[in-house]
Amino acid sequence: MAKKECITQLSTTGATSTLRNRKTFPTSVKVPRAPPKDRSGPPAAHLPEGDPRSVDGASARPPAGGDASKGPSGLLMLVVVLSFSTRLYKITEPPHVCWDETHFGKMGSYYINRTFFFDVHPPLGKMLIGLAGYVTGYDGTFPFMKPGDKYEHHDYWGMRGFCAVLGSFLPIFAYLIVRELSQSHTAALITATLLIFDTGCITISQYILLDPILLFFIMAAVLSMVKFDQQRYRPFSWYWWLWLLLTGASLAGALGVKFVGLFVILLVGLHTVWDLWELLGDLSLSLVDIAKHFLARVAGLILLPLFLYVTTFAIHFAVLNKSGPGDGFFSSAFQSRLVGNNLYNASMPEYLAYGSTITVKNLRIAGGYLHSHWHLYPEGVGARQQQVTAYLHKDYNNLWLVQRKDDNDSRSGTPDLVRHGDVIRLEHKETTRNLHGHLHAAPLTKKHFQVTGYGVNGTGDTNDLWQVEVCGGQKGDPVKVLRSKVRFLHRATGCVLYSSGKTLPKWGWEQVEVTCSPYLKETPSSQWNIEDHINPKLPNISLSVLKPHFLEILLESHIVMIRGNSGLKPKDNEMNSKPWHWPINYQGLRFSGVNDTEYRVYLLGNPVVWWVNLAGLGLYPIMVAVASVALQRGFSLGQKRREHAAVLQGKGGLLLLGWLLHYAPFYSMGRVLYYHHYFPAMLFSSMLTGITFDVLLKSTDLLLRPPYSDWLQRLGQVALLLSVLYSFYLFHPLSYGMTGPLAHEPGSAMAGLKWMDSWEF
Amino acid sequence: MLQFPLVVTTQVDLVLVLVSLLALWTRLSHLSYPNAVVFDEVYYGQFVSLYMKRVFFIDESGPPLGHTILALGAYLGGFDGNFVWNRIGAEYPSSLSVWSLRFLPALCGALCVPLVYLLTLELKFSHLSALGASALLLLDNSLIVQSRFMLLESLLIFFVLLAFFSYLRFHNSSHRYCWLLLSGASCAAAVGVKYMGVFSYLLLVGVASLHTWRLIGDRALSVCVQCVCRIVCLLVVPVLLYVFWFYVHLTLLDRSGPHDQLMSPAFQASLEGGLSRITLGQPLEVAYGSQVTLRSSVSQPMPCWLHSHKANYPISHDVAAPMSPHSQEVSGYIDFNVSMAAQNLWRVNIPHREAESESWKTILSEVWLVHVNTSAVLKLSGVSLPDWGFRQLEVVGEKLFKAHSSSLGWTVEEHRYGTSQEQKEREAELHSPTHIDVERKISFWAKFLELQWKMLTVKQEDSEHKYSSSPLEWVTMETNIAYWLHASTNAQIHLIGNPVSWGVAILSLLSYQLLAAIYLVRRRRGFKDIPDSIIVCVGCVCVGGWVVNFVPFLLMEKTLFLYHYLPALCYLHLLSPALLEHVHTHLRATHRRALCVCAWIVLMSVFLSYWTFCPLTYGTPELSANQLQALKWRDSWDILYRCR
C-alpha cells in the first residue's frame, strides 16, 4: 500500500515539474544549458522520509521517472529532428557503390531475385535491405560488382534511406536510455549531442550496410530493457509485458543481423539474472511468484527471440529457392533443395560402383571438390607432377573414374560395388592421371605429404592405391552416394587424403591445397562424400529423400557461417585494424574514393567526440572508486551525492558492462577486424560519457561555493556543447563527401585537420 | 644476558614430515633413469646449453626464470653445454649428470605435497583433510611424471601454491608482512616461469583486494599504511622482481647467438661477437662518403637489408612497383636511354630524434629515406619478388601520407668511412676498421622492453603435434602423451594421470558447484543455518584457481598439451578433501560413518591405481604387450608396443 501511495505522490510531483520545465525551455539550440539545476532537485526532494529505499535513490524513483521523463518533449523533438536531418542529408551522394554496399546491396538483390548465396552473417539484415529496396521500387537488377560502380537509373535511395532512418534512431534511443537511467536531462542531452554530431555514426548510417540495422536493434533492446526495469513495481501489467516482449524481439533482431548481437544478448541476460536474483532475495515474494517471474522471462527473453530468429531463417530458406553463387559452400544434401542445382530432383545410382564417374566433395565447410588440371607443381614444390587441388566451383575437371587396383577392363553386366576396405585407384577423367601420393612434403602444410596426378591412361604405380573407408562402417559395407562419409587411406604410406583449407599461391590458381595427412584423426578435412555419380550400367534412383529437415539446414548454415567467420583471417601484408586502435580513433575506413579527383567519404569518428568518450572511460572508474571508497568508509554524504554515487555505480556499471561486452571480446578474435566493429561499443561508451560528465559537472560544488559552482557547471556544459558543434563543423566533410586535394595539401577543405598521421583523408 | 635453563620447545607434525619424505621418495628416487632425453627436455635442453655457453636466445613461449632455474641445476652438476638436443630418446653421455638436470624441478614437485598440506590447514580445515589433499597430490601419476624431468610445470605449480599459502598465512596470522612479501615474491616467480602464472597472480590479487576492501569498511582501523604495504608487497615487488629475472637473464647471456637476427641492431651490438664484432670500432656518425649497410626495422617476414645486384627488372622502367602496384618502383638507375631524368635524390629523415640538429648515427638512429621528387618513402613491402627477383623481398616507394611508420625505418649496421682520395687506398681504408670505438651499448631498460615486446609479439609457428589435445579433452583425460620409449624394449613413460583421483577431482568440482548453488539460494531466501564462510573461501581459492588456470586455454589458439592442465588439477586436489570434510561435519551421525568408509575406499583405490600405473610413470619395470594392453583403460589412449 505504502508503495502505491508513493507512486501516486511522485507522479504528481513529476507532473508539476513537467509544467515548470515546459515554461523554462523554449525549443532552441541553446537548450542544453538550461536544464541541470531544476532537474536535479524535485523528484528526490519529494521522497518520503521513512522509506528504506530512499538511500538508493535510483531504485526508489523509477515510477516517478516514467512520468517525469515526459517532461520537456521539446528536447526530444529537437533530438529527433537533428538526428534525422543529419542522417538523411545528402543521402543519395555519392551515386555509386561505396565500400561494403557491394556485398550487402548485392545480397539485397539476391533476395529480390530469390537466388541462393552464402554470407557469414545471419539473414535478417540483408532481408530487410532487400525488402526496403523492393518496396521503394528497386528491381534487383543492379549487379553491385565493385565499389565505385555508378548506380545510374537504379533506385538505390530506398535501401540507403532505410538504413539511415534506422541509424537516426540511435541518438534518440540513447537519449531515452540515459534519461531513464540517470533521470537527468543533461546527461541525456550530452549523450544525444555526442551521437548526433559524430561523423562516424552519421557515415555508418548512410549506406547500405548491416551496421545501422544491428545498432538499431542493439539500442532498441537496451531501451526496452531499461523501460522494462521501470515497470518493476507493476509486474505483469500490460506495459510490463510490452517492454519484456519488445526486449525479446529486439534481441532476436540484433542476433538476426550479425552474431555481434550475442553480446547484447549477454548484457540483457546478465541483467536479467541479476534482476531475478534481486527478486529471489525479496522475502515478501513467495516462491510461486518468483517462478512466475522466471517463466515470464524465459518466455519473453528466450523462447520469443528463438522463435523469431528461427522464423527469419525459415523465411530466408523459403525465399531463396534458386541455385546461386553460394551453393558450393554447402553440403550435397543442402544443394539438393535449390532449383537449378544439378542435385535438385537428381537421380543417380545409389551405391558407389567400379567404373563410375564421380565427383568427390570434402566435408569441411567450403572444402571444395577434389580437382586436378593440366598443370604441374612448380619447381621446388615437391615432385614436378600434376597438381591436385580442391575447388569450390563445379567444373568438368572435378570428375574422377573409380578403378580397380589391378585391372582396367570393366566387365560386362552389372558392375561390382565398392565396399568398405576395398583398394581402388581414382583416375582423373580429363587427364587420365591417377590420384597419387608419395613421401614429398605438401606445398603449404609441410608436415603432410604431397598429392599429385601421376601416370598415363590409368597406368601408374603402387603409390596410386587408396583404400576406401566408410566412417563408422564395417568391412563389406557399400558406399552410399551423397550420404556416406568416406576416407581415402593411402596404401603405401598410410596417410589419409586431406584438404587443408589453405589457399595455394598463383601457380595453383588460388585453389585449395589437398594433402595426404599422416595424422589419422577423423576430422571433416579428411572426410569426403561422393556427390555426382554417373554409371550408365546402374539404375538411377531418385534422391529426393535426401532433402534435409529444416533443423538440419538451420544447423548446417550456422556451422557454415561460423566457419566462414573464423576463416576470415587477416592477410600477412595487409594493414590490419587492431582493437586498441578503435577507442582512440586511430584510423578510419575509406568508404569511397582514394585520389584527389574522386568523391571521397571516410568513416572516422568526430575526434572530439571520441576523445571525450575516451576521457569519460578514464574518468568513470576514478569517480566510481572515489564514491565507493567514500561509501565503504561510511563518510556522511548528502542526499545528492548518494544519488550520484548510486547512478554511477548501478546505471553507469550497466553501461560500462555493455561497453566491455561489445569491445573486449574482439581482443580474442582471430578473424580480421575493422574499425566499424567498435560502433556498438562506442554507443555504450557515449551513454556512459553522458552520465559521467553530468555527475562530474554537478559535483562542481565540491570545488566552489554555490553561485560560482553553478556558473562553472554551466560553463562546462556550454564548452562541451560548443566544442562538439565546432568539431562537427570542421569534420563534417568526412561524412558528407570531400573532393579536391587531399588533407596534406594546403588547398584542401580538410587542410590542417589531419591531426593524426594515420588518418587517410 | 642468557636466561637459564636454556630450553628449546619445538612441535613437529610427524604426519607432515612423513608426507614430505614420501613425496621426496616418489619424486626423487632413480631420477637419472631413463638416461635419455625425455619429451620436452629436448626443447628446454637447448636453452640450458645456450645458458652454459652464455649465448643469447629468445624463447617466445615464456619468461626466462624457468630457464634460469633449469640452467642453475645444470650448472651445479657441471654441465658444459656440449650436448646436441635434437631427438627425444637420445642417450645422455656418461659425463653429463642427468640427476642434476632434473633435480630442481623434482624437488619443487616434491615440495608441492607438504605445501598442499599446509595450505589446507590455512584454509581452516582439519589435519585429516590436509592429509587427504597431500595424498591425492602425492599419488597423482601425471604430477610425478611431470616433476621428474627437466620441465617447468612443477616449478610453476610450486610457486603458485607457495604464493597462496604465504598469502593465507599472512591473512590468518594477524598480518605479518614477511609472509606477504614472500607471497609477492612467489607470484613474481610463478609469472617468471610461465605466463600462465599471471592468471593465478590475478586471482590472488583479487582475493587480497577483497580482504582489503573489507578492511577499508572497518571504521575502527586506520587503513592507509596497511593498504600501502599491501600494494607494495603484492604489486610493486612482483613487478620489480619480474624485471629482475630479465636482468639476470640478460646479464648472464651476453654473447651473440642464433636468435640475434630477431633483435634490433642496437640490441645486437650490445652482445659479444656477432654484429658487435663487425661494428666494433666503426665511426658513429654517418657522413658523406660513408659506405653503409641498411637494415629494415621490421623483422617481418624476415630480417633483411637493402640490396641491389646486377640484374634488371624484367620490364622496362615502369612506375608502379612490380608486386605492389599502388606503390612506386625503386630501382638502381643507369641511363638505358629510357628518356627519364635521373631521380636519385633522397632526403634523410630521423623521425624519433631528440633534437633538431641530431646527426645520423650508426645503429642508434632509425631513418626514413624520402624521395625528393615524389616525397615517397622507401619501404619494405613485405612481398617477395618472383623468380626473376631471386625471391628476395620487394622494396617500394610509398607516399608518406599513406604509409605507416613501422615498415619505413632503416638502420645503418656496417659503416666504413675513408678519407683518402686515392681509389686504392680508400678501398683499403674502407675495409680496415681502425676508427675510434664509440660506446653504444643500450641501457638495460631498453633491452628489457625490446626483449619483452619481442617475446610477446613473435609469432609461434602453429604446428600440429601428434600428442596435442584440446582443453575439453583434459577434464576427462581423453588423451595421454608418450614421453619416452626405451630404444629396444617396451619400457616407456607416459603422462597419464591417476584415473581415480582425476575422477574424484572432477566429481568434487561438480558437487562444489551444486552445493554452492544450493547454499546461495538458501541464503538468499533467508536460511542462515549453515556457516558458509569457509566454503566460500575454499571456492575462491580452489574453484577460482581451477577456472583461471583452465578457461584461458579455451580461448587460446596455440598448440596445447595435457600437461597444461596440471596446475588447474592441483586446485581440484585441494578441493576434494575440503568438500568432504564440510559435508561430513553437516551430516547426521549415522551417515557420517558411511561417508568415512567411502572416503577410505576411494583413497585405497587411488593408491591401487597409482600402483597400477607406476610402470608407465617410472618407466620400469618393462611390461609385456598384454600387460600394456590391460593398462589401456581408454581407447583414446596411445600406448606404444614394440613389434617383436
Side-chain angles (χ1 to χ4, degrees):
Chain A
M1 290 305 110
K3 235 181 252 164
K4 214 169 211 172
E5 279 167 25
C6 165
I7 291 163
T8 47
Q9 192 185 351
L10 286 172
S11 55
T12 48
T13 59
T16 54
S17 72
T18 306
L19 286 175
R20 252 202 333 255
N21 295 339
R22 210 168 252 157
K23 275 178 216 156
T24 32
F25 306 126
T27 39
S28 77
V29 189
K30 301 228 164 132
V31 168
R33 283 192 283 163
K37 193 179 174 190
D38 290 313
R39 197 84 335 81
S40 59
H46 289 270
L47 276 172
E49 288 294 327
D51 189 347
R53 265 179 238 276
S54 65
V55 178
D56 184 1
S59 68
R61 280 188 294 150
D67 298 333
S69 59
K70 280 178 194 149
S73 57
L75 279 183
L76 182 60
M77 278 315 295
L78 182 70
V79 169
V80 171
V81 170
L82 281 176
S83 186
F84 272 87
S85 52
T86 47
R87 266 74 181 162
L88 290 172
Y89 176 62
K90 279 191 163 183
I91 186 71
T92 52
E93 290 290 311
H96 59 242
V97 178
C98 288
W99 196 53
D100 272 358
E101 283 189 343
T102 175
H103 299 308
F104 301 122
K106 195 190 296 170
M107 291 167 188
S109 311
Y110 283 141
Y111 279 104
I112 296 174
N113 300 327
R114 310 191 64 173
T115 315
F116 188 75
F117 67 94
F118 163 68
D119 185 37
V120 296
H121 304 300
L124 179 64
K126 290 153 298 193
M127 268 157 60
L128 290 176
I129 289 173
L131 184 67
Y134 185 70
V135 169
T136 55
Y138 169 61
D139 54 4
T141 49
F142 185 70
F144 285 97
M145 287 298 283
K146 61 174 191 306
D149 288 356
K150 293 269 180 291
Y151 283 115
E152 288 164 358
H153 64 277
H154 293 280
D155 282 324
Y156 63 97
W157 61 269
M159 293 185 274
R160 277 201 187 159
F162 169 72
C163 291
V165 167
L166 291 191
S168 308
F169 278 104
L170 302 180
I172 303 167
F173 285 172
Y175 176 86
L176 294 173
I177 293 169
V178 174
R179 198 175 69 182
E180 291 295 346
L181 285 179
S182 68
Q183 299 299 313
S184 156
H185 290 277
T186 333
L189 267 178
I190 293 175
T191 302
T193 314
L194 292 177
L195 291 181
I196 290 173
F197 298 111
D198 177 45
T199 48
C201 286
I202 294 176
T203 313
I204 205 150
S205 305
Q206 283 197 316
Y207 299 93
I208 309 172
L209 300 174
L210 296 185
D211 299 82
I213 311 174
L214 171 73
L215 295 172
F216 171 82
F217 281 119
I218 289 178
M219 291 301 269
V222 177
L223 179 63
S224 319
M225 178 182 86
V226 170
K227 286 279 189 187
F228 172 70
D229 243 21
Q230 302 284 333
Q231 303 293 327
R232 65 166 69 228
Y233 297 102
R234 305 178 207 127
F236 306 107
S237 66
W238 199 82
Y239 272 110
W240 189 90
W241 277 109
L242 175 72
W243 289 117
L244 178 67
L245 296 181
L246 274 179
T247 313
S250 315
L251 290 181
L255 186 65
V257 177
K258 271 191 181 189
F259 284 124
V260 174
L262 275 175
F263 301 142
V264 74
I265 291 183
L266 208 57
L267 176 70
V268 173
L270 287 174
H271 182 254
T272 308
V273 168
W274 178 250
D275 192 24
L276 284 171
W277 189 245
E278 293 278 298
L279 287 174
L280 191 64
D282 184 352
L283 295 182
S284 66
L285 289 176
S286 73
L287 282 177
V288 177
D289 290 336
I290 291 169
K292 274 189 202 160
H293 272 282
F294 177 71
L295 290 177
R297 282 164 178 78
V298 168
L301 300 178
I302 297 178
L303 297 182
L304 174 72
L306 201 65
F307 172 73
L308 291 177
Y309 181 72
V310 171
T311 308
T312 59
F313 271 89
I315 298 172
H316 171 75
F317 292 126
V319 171
L320 303 182
N321 59 0
K322 293 186 200 159
S323 166
D327 294 13
F329 288 92
F330 286 85
S331 67
S332 313
F334 190 99
Q335 294 178 30
S336 67
R337 305 173 41 255
L338 300 170
V339 182
N341 189 293
N342 60 343
L343 294 180
Y344 181 71
N345 284 340
S347 64
M348 54 179 78
E350 195 178 4
Y351 295 108
L352 181 65
Y354 288 102
S356 298
T357 307
I358 57 171
T359 59
V360 184
K361 190 170 200 302
N362 190 246
L363 281 183
R364 68 177 278 129
I365 306 303
Y369 299 93
L370 190 68
H371 179 99
S372 186
H373 40 227
W374 287 110
H375 295 277
L376 306 184
Y377 284 103
E379 199 84 54
V381 182
R384 229 175 123 67
Q385 296 173 359
Q386 184 166 304
Q387 295 174 12
V388 172
T389 64
Y391 189 48
L392 275 170
H393 299 269
K394 300 192 174 185
D395 178 318
Y396 57 86
N397 269 331
N398 298 343
L399 293 178
W400 299 81
L401 282 170
V402 184
Q403 304 284 28
R404 282 173 198 287
K405 63 176 172 183
D406 33 22
D407 57 322
N408 245 339
D409 61 316
S410 40
R411 290 168 225 175
S412 52
T414 38
D416 286 344
L417 297 184
V418 178
R419 294 179 185 278
H420 178 98
D422 280 9
V423 176
I424 62 164
R425 278 188 298 112
L426 278 177
E427 183 185 324
H428 190 232
K429 186 137 193 269
E430 194 63 21
T431 61
T432 71
R433 306 229 190 267
N434 288 328
L435 187 73
H436 178 97
H438 47 215
L439 292 172
H440 289 276
L444 300 177
T445 316
K446 300 287 184 193
K447 290 197 165 181
H448 293 184
F449 302 126
Q450 187 192 27
V451 175
T452 65
Y454 180 75
V456 183
N457 287 332
T459 9
D461 61 15
T462 52
N463 273 337
D464 301 346
L465 298 183
W466 300 82
Q467 184 169 20
V468 178
E469 264 192 9
V470 181
C471 297
Q474 287 175 344
K475 192 158 174 55
D477 285 356
V479 179
K480 285 184 202 152
V481 170
L482 286 168
R483 274 166 288 184
S484 291
K485 299 174 179 177
V486 184
R487 301 207 304 168
F488 296 97
L489 274 120
H490 191 236
R491 286 292 285 172
T493 55
C495 58
V496 57
L497 192 69
Y498 189 91
S499 166
S500 71
K502 296 176 190 165
T503 308
L504 292 170
K506 275 202 180 130
W507 57 255
W509 310 99
E510 280 158 6
Q511 296 173 3
V512 181
E513 185 195 39
V514 167
T515 65
C516 196
S517 164
Y519 306 106
L520 299 183
K521 270 187 191 169
E522 278 198 8
T523 64
S525 300
S526 61
Q527 294 172 335
W528 306 77
N529 74 358
I530 315 297
E531 189 173 293
D532 297 294
H533 185 220
I534 305 156
N535 194 330
K537 291 180 187 160
L538 285 172
N540 288 344
I541 290 175
S542 171
L543 292 173
S544 55
V545 281
L546 248 188
K547 275 188 187 162
H549 193 254
F550 172 68
L551 288 179
E552 287 168 6
I553 313 178
L554 190 68
L555 184 69
E556 180 180 350
S557 58
H558 274 83
I559 295 172
V560 173
M561 282 190 284
I562 290 165
R563 295 276 173 79
N565 244 321
S566 56
L568 296 173
K569 295 279 184 210
K571 289 188 183 138
D572 280 341
N573 48 13
E574 265 178 21
M575 176 64 198
N576 298 309
S577 189
K578 303 266 168 25
W580 64 264
H581 291 171
W582 304 338
I584 56 175
N585 210 17
Y586 179 77
Q587 195 179 33
L589 268 173
R590 285 203 195 92
F591 262 40
S592 159
V594 179
N595 299 323
D596 47 4
T597 53
E598 289 167 306
Y599 184 95
R600 299 186 306 277
V601 175
Y602 190 64
L603 173 72
L604 183 76
N606 179 342
V608 171
V609 170
W610 284 54
W611 293 339
V612 164
N613 278 339
L614 196 61
L617 284 173
L619 269 174
Y620 174 77
I622 299 173
M623 287 166 60
V624 168
V626 170
S628 307
V629 169
L631 286 177
Q632 177 81 358
R633 268 316 261 184
F635 294 141
S636 59
L637 302 175
Q639 178 69 38
K640 182 179 140 192
R641 299 256 178 276
R642 281 206 201 132
E643 274 170 31
H644 286 171
V647 167
L648 276 179
Q649 285 179 330
K651 315 298 169 175
L654 181 69
L655 295 175
L656 185 75
L657 180 69
W659 177 77
L660 276 175
L661 284 175
H662 285 85
Y663 179 51
F666 286 102
Y667 279 94
S668 67
M669 279 189 200
R671 63 161 279 172
V672 57
L673 299 174
Y674 297 104
Y675 175 68
H676 71 273
H677 289 156
Y678 186 62
F679 277 83
M682 185 267 175
L683 296 180
F684 283 98
S685 160
S686 301
M687 292 192 277
L688 183 63
T689 309
I691 288 185
T692 312
F693 274 77
D694 182 43
V695 172
L696 184 76
L697 291 174
K698 281 180 182 162
S699 306
T700 43
D701 53 348
L702 286 172
L703 282 178
L704 298 171
R705 264 181 285 146
Y708 306 107
S709 66
D710 284 351
W711 296 351
L712 185 62
Q713 183 184 339
R714 295 280 166 81
L715 187 72
Q717 287 159 353
V718 173
L720 196 63
L721 177 70
L722 288 183
S723 54
V724 170
L725 282 179
Y726 184 62
S727 62
F728 176 66
Y729 164 73
L730 289 178
F731 284 96
H732 75 274
L734 291 178
S735 302
Y736 297 131
M738 306 164 275
T739 43
L742 301 175
H744 67 283
E745 289 165 41
S748 164
M750 305 299 293
L753 289 178
K754 212 180 148 186
W755 295 348
M756 287 177 84
D757 286 339
S758 45
W759 295 346
E760 304 147 311
F761 54 80
Chain B
M1 217 174 104
L2 280 174
Q3 294 269 320
F4 288 97
L6 199 62
V7 178
V8 177
T9 317
T10 56
Q11 283 183 312
V12 178
D13 187 341
L14 284 179
V15 178
L16 181 60
V17 172
L18 179 73
V19 164
S20 312
L21 289 178
L22 281 175
L24 288 171
W25 183 61
T26 50
R27 265 70 174 176
L28 289 172
S29 61
H30 300 108
L31 201 53
S32 40
Y33 175 85
N35 187 30
V37 179
V38 175
F39 199 60
D40 265 358
E41 285 189 345
V42 75
Y43 180 73
Y44 295 113
Q46 48 178 338
F47 299 126
V48 169
S49 281
L50 290 173
Y51 246 107
M52 294 303 108
K53 296 180 169 171
R54 307 190 60 181
V55 167
F56 173 78
F57 66 87
I58 167 169
D59 175 18
E60 64 279 6
S61 71
L65 180 67
H67 303 85
T68 318
I69 293 176
L70 295 182
L72 176 70
Y75 175 74
L76 294 177
F79 178 48
D80 56 2
N82 289 325
F83 181 75
V84 186
W85 306 86
N86 58 359
R87 182 172 68 83
I88 295 173
E91 289 270 325
Y92 286 116
S94 55
S95 61
L96 193 156
S97 163
V98 182
W99 190 84
S100 75
L101 289 182
R102 293 175 181 164
F103 173 67
L104 286 178
L107 183 67
C108 286
L111 289 180
C112 289
V113 176
L115 209 48
V116 159
Y117 185 92
L118 294 170
L119 186 50
T120 311
L121 293 184
E122 290 303 330
L123 285 169
K124 310 241 172 79
F125 285 91
S126 69
H127 284 264
L128 212 56
S129 289
L131 181 63
S134 50
L136 283 176
L137 215 66
L138 180 73
L139 298 178
D140 194 317
N141 304 57
S142 55
L143 290 170
I144 297 177
V145 170
Q146 197 68 15
S147 305
R148 287 171 55 87
F149 301 102
M150 196 175 59
L151 305 171
L152 295 180
E153 264 67 28
S154 59
L155 298 176
L156 172 67
I157 294 171
F158 172 72
F159 287 125
V160 167
L161 290 176
L162 184 62
F164 271 101
F165 163 68
S166 43
Y167 176 74
L168 288 176
R169 177 51 77 83
F170 161 79
H171 183 67
N172 295 337
S173 68
S174 64
H175 304 152
R176 283 219 214 102
Y177 280 96
C178 56
W179 285 112
L180 195 60
L181 209 58
L182 178 62
S183 176
S186 316
C187 285
V191 179
V193 171
K194 284 210 156 199
Y195 285 128
M196 266 322 279
V198 169
F199 296 106
S200 296
Y201 172 54
L202 289 180
L203 178 69
L204 193 139
V205 169
V207 173
S209 333
L210 207 67
H211 287 152
T212 316
W213 187 245
R214 282 196 204 136
L215 210 65
I216 292 176
D218 187 348
R219 270 190 258 179
L221 295 170
S222 111
V223 288
C224 261
V225 181
Q226 300 219 22
C227 287
V228 170
C229 284
R230 281 155 201 252
I231 287 173
V232 168
C233 292
L234 288 184
L235 296 178
V236 179
V237 167
V239 171
L240 290 180
L241 275 176
Y242 179 76
V243 177
F244 177 69
W245 312 141
F246 277 83
Y247 181 76
V248 172
H249 181 72
L250 286 171
T251 315
L252 289 177
L253 305 181
D254 56 0
R255 296 187 189 153
S256 98
H259 295 166
D260 278 19
Q261 296 302 330
L262 291 170
M263 312 307 288
S264 70
F267 192 103
Q268 290 182 42
S270 72
L271 297 170
E272 200 180 301
L275 183 66
S276 73
R277 192 181 307 157
I278 301 171
T279 60
L280 184 75
Q282 69 186 22
L284 180 63
E285 295 185 339
V286 178
Y288 290 99
S290 289
Q291 180 179 320
V292 297
T293 60
L294 282 168
R295 184 186 140 135
S296 169
S297 311
V298 273
S299 306
Q300 302 291 338
M302 61 196 80
C304 55
W305 291 262
L306 192 62
H307 176 95
S308 183
H309 44 230
K310 278 198 176 167
N312 298 329
Y313 282 123
I315 37 181
S316 69
H317 195 96
D318 195 344
V319 181
M323 306 305 284
S324 317
H326 45 81
S327 314
Q328 293 173 21
E329 183 189 76
V330 178
S331 60
Y333 181 77
I334 315 171
D335 198 348
F336 283 124
N337 290 330
V338 284
S339 68
M340 282 187 78
Q343 305 191 335
N344 44 18
L345 291 183
W346 297 82
R347 188 174 63 242
V348 174
N349 243 3
I350 307 178
H352 306 299
R353 62 183 164 223
E354 275 151 22
E356 204 51 31
S357 58
E358 195 172 298
S359 57
W360 183 5
K361 296 201 181 73
T362 315
I363 294 190
L364 297 178
S365 312
E366 189 180 296
V367 299
W368 293 0
L369 297 169
V370 186
H371 193 226
V372 171
N373 297 62
T374 59
S375 65
V377 192
L378 195 69
K379 180 194 162 181
L380 186 72
S381 73
V383 186
S384 31
L385 294 169
D387 283 339
W388 55 258
F390 307 104
R391 305 251 154 225
Q392 295 174 355
L393 294 178
E394 185 195 41
V395 167
V396 299
E398 180 139 89
K399 292 278 189 203
L400 186 52
F401 62 88
K402 278 202 261 175
H404 297 286
S405 54
S406 61
S407 51
L408 302 174
W410 299 85
T411 313
V412 169
E413 281 195 357
E414 282 184 67
H415 177 212
R416 302 279 181 272
Y417 184 73
T419 45
S420 169
Q421 297 297 317
E422 192 69 35
Q423 182 69 24
K424 277 268 173 59
E425 270 180 49
R426 182 146 174 255
E427 243 161 49
E429 214 171 356
L430 287 173
H431 283 101
S432 55
T434 54
H435 301 271
I436 333 121
D437 182 28
V438 186
E439 181 61 42
R440 56 178 75 95
K441 285 201 168 154
I442 56 172
S443 70
F444 163 70
W445 285 103
K447 284 173 84 172
F448 164 69
L449 290 176
E450 185 182 342
L451 181 59
Q452 178 69 76
W453 180 246
K454 281 276 151 62
M455 285 168 86
L456 292 176
T457 52
V458 166
K459 265 189 201 154
Q460 268 175 300
E461 207 173 299
D462 203 18
S463 54
E464 221 174 330
H465 190 283
K466 194 176 173 196
Y467 289 107
S468 60
S469 48
S470 72
L472 290 176
E473 293 172 340
W474 301 339
V475 179
T476 49
M477 206 163 55
E478 289 287 332
T479 54
N480 65 321
I481 305 178
Y483 267 24
W484 171 79
L485 175 65
H486 191 276
S488 55
T489 71
N490 264 337
Q492 51 192 307
I493 293 178
H494 285 264
L495 183 74
I496 296 187
N498 184 330
V500 180
S501 59
W502 283 50
V504 169
I506 199 64
L507 276 181
S508 58
L509 178 69
L510 293 178
S511 39
Y512 178 85
Q513 283 162 349
L514 189 68
L515 209 62
I518 293 172
Y519 281 8
L520 274 175
V521 173
R522 275 172 57 91
R523 192 158 75 153
R524 196 71 190 156
R525 293 304 290 176
F527 299 98
K528 293 181 177 162
D529 47 351
I530 299 176
D532 46 12
S533 66
I534 293 180
I535 205 77
V536 169
C537 189
V538 168
C540 283
V541 176
C542 300
V543 180
W546 182 83
V547 167
V548 298
N549 279 290
F550 179 71
V551 173
F553 286 116
L554 294 174
L555 309 172
M556 282 185 199
E557 289 189 355
K558 61 178 212 169
T559 320
L560 296 171
F561 295 93
L562 181 65
Y563 58 73
H564 285 122
Y565 182 60
L566 296 181
L569 182 75
C570 287
Y571 287 101
L572 292 190
H573 285 337
L574 267 173
L575 177 66
S576 317
L579 207 57
L580 196 67
E581 180 179 333
H582 175 79
V583 174
H584 185 260
T585 40
H586 293 283
L587 270 184
R588 266 190 244 138
T590 45
H591 295 138
R592 280 186 189 176
R593 184 161 299 164
L595 197 67
C596 282
V597 172
C598 285
W600 277 112
I601 291 174
V602 169
L603 208 57
M604 284 316 292
S605 40
V606 167
F607 178 76
L608 282 179
S609 74
Y610 158 77
W611 195 251
T612 316
F613 283 96
C614 258
L616 295 185
T617 304
Y618 295 99
T620 171
E622 181 201 354
L623 296 182
S624 69
N626 282 340
Q627 284 170 311
L628 286 173
Q629 184 66 46
L631 282 183
K632 197 173 172 182
W633 289 16
R634 300 194 70 135
D635 286 337
S636 51
W637 287 356
D638 194 358
I639 290 176
L640 312 166
Y641 314 100
R642 201 166 280 286
C643 304
R644 295 281 166 100

